[in-house]
Amino acid sequence: MFSRGCTQEPDIEIYDTYPLTDNDPEVTKKVTASFKHFLGEERVLKDYRQMTASEDFSYIPRALGIPYLYWGFGGFTKDQDIYANHNPKFAPAIQPTLKIGTQAAIVAILTYLGK
């Protein structure tokens, strides 16, 4: 007998898979250093662990042989409840999220391009 009274093995069909998003170590090191310099050491996490989130993000840079960095940033103020991005209550604060996200993107691009 199986759990919850089920008496039959489930039929599981895998129809699609996505690769693990694993950041390039060199790009990550350089961009993280720039984030810490520009945004402040206390506002940058040391490690953004490997994850399956971002689903198909890894396909394009891998197909082109380009090293990549996928990062995340907060979007909620201290007085807000935090919800995951597929939750209907997901509503990050527009500011400072938009400002910090734009700054982070510019810092990452300029760092990676060596400017």
Side-chain angles (χ1 to χ4, degrees):
M1 183 160 262
F2 301 99
S3 67
R4 300 281 185 209
C6 182
T7 59
Q8 183 178 343
E9 284 281 345
D11 290 327
I12 299 173
E13 179 183 343
I14 298 174
Y15 59 90
D16 208 356
T17 61
Y18 295 96
L20 183 66
T21 299
D22 54 347
N23 292 330
D24 179 83
E26 184 180 329
V27 173
T28 301
K29 183 178 177 180
K30 287 173 65 174
V31 173
T32 299
S34 291
F35 282 168
K36 288 178 180 180
H37 176 75
F38 185 82
L39 299 171
E41 183 94 22
E42 72 284 353
R43 297 175 71 193
V44 179
L45 296 176
K46 283 183 163 184
D47 185 32
Y48 198 67
R49 67 185 186 278
Q50 292 180 335
M51 67 178 70
T52 55
S54 77
E55 300 160 352
D56 59 350
F57 168 81
S58 305
Y59 279 130
I60 295 171
R62 284 183 181 172
L64 299 173
I66 299 169
Y68 64 84
L69 171 60
Y70 183 90
W71 75 85
F73 56 93
F76 296 89
T77 61
K78 292 178 183 179
D79 61 331
Q80 284 184 285
D81 291 329
I82 299 173
Y83 296 96
N85 62 342
H86 292 288
N87 185 305
K89 293 182 179 181
F90 177 76
I94 193 68
Q95 292 300 345
T97 306
L98 184 59
K99 178 181 177 183
I100 301 292
T102 302
Q103 290 172 343
I106 292 168
V107 167
I109 291 165
L110 293 176
T111 299
Y112 188 73
L113 293 176
K115 304 290 180 187

